[in-house]
Amino acid sequence: YDSTALKACFGHFGGRMLATAGTWFCNDVFFYGNKLFQSQFTDVIASDPSSLLTTYTWNIINVFVSLAGYYCAAFLIDHKFYGRTTMQQVGFFVCFVTFVIPAFNYKYYTSAAGIHSFQAMYFLSSFFNQFGPNATTFLVAGEVYPTPIRATAHGFSACMGKLGALFASVL
């Protein structure tokens, strides 16, 4: 591998590399963290979490919510008034809010009084992750670099995303 080319890539496009790799890292922390702990979410909201049918039902609901977000993203990703930038910013912001709010008052949101709010935030995080960073991180990383270094830069960004997934699973 030509290490001189890689050095030149970071020298000329270091800011873009930081941006695309950083957003991919953060997205995979959200996305894989959300999916890895889906069973704990089901334990909190389900009346009978040991039932396979109950677990299956909540997982299917989450799949449909995520799929709706993905289709909304496909519909609006090239829209001139919304587009990739706004989609990514709004998606990250909503994911941040829907994770931070329950973190500060976890006992309330897992109690009988707050369980519906907890469900709404969980499903909103699934929807906006698909209708935001999960739909845009790989596209932007493939579009902002010139052709000669596109594969290297996109691969580096994807690698940082997988480090984010590892980070979520280890922590």
Side-chain angles (χ1 to χ4, degrees), residues 58-132:
W58 284 112
N59 287 339
I60 286 294
I61 290 170
N62 193 37
V63 165
F64 281 121
V65 168
S66 297
L67 198 57
Y70 187 76
Y71 281 120
C72 286
F75 181 69
L76 291 174
I77 201 153
D78 287 326
H79 195 273
K80 64 181 178 179
F81 295 119
Y82 198 69
R84 290 162 171 70
T85 305
T86 304
M87 186 180 295
Q88 191 166 34
Q89 291 171 347
V90 169
F92 270 123
F93 179 73
V94 172
C95 284
F96 174 77
V97 168
T98 57
F99 283 119
V100 167
I101 289 174
F104 283 113
N105 199 359
Y106 186 74
K107 281 189 181 259
Y108 168 74
Y109 287 105
T110 56
S111 70
I115 199 66
H116 294 297
S117 299
F118 188 66
Q119 286 173 314
M121 283 187 271
Y122 183 78
F123 290 132
L124 278 172
S125 72
S126 291
F127 177 85
F128 276 98
N129 187 277
Q130 293 299 326
F131 182 57

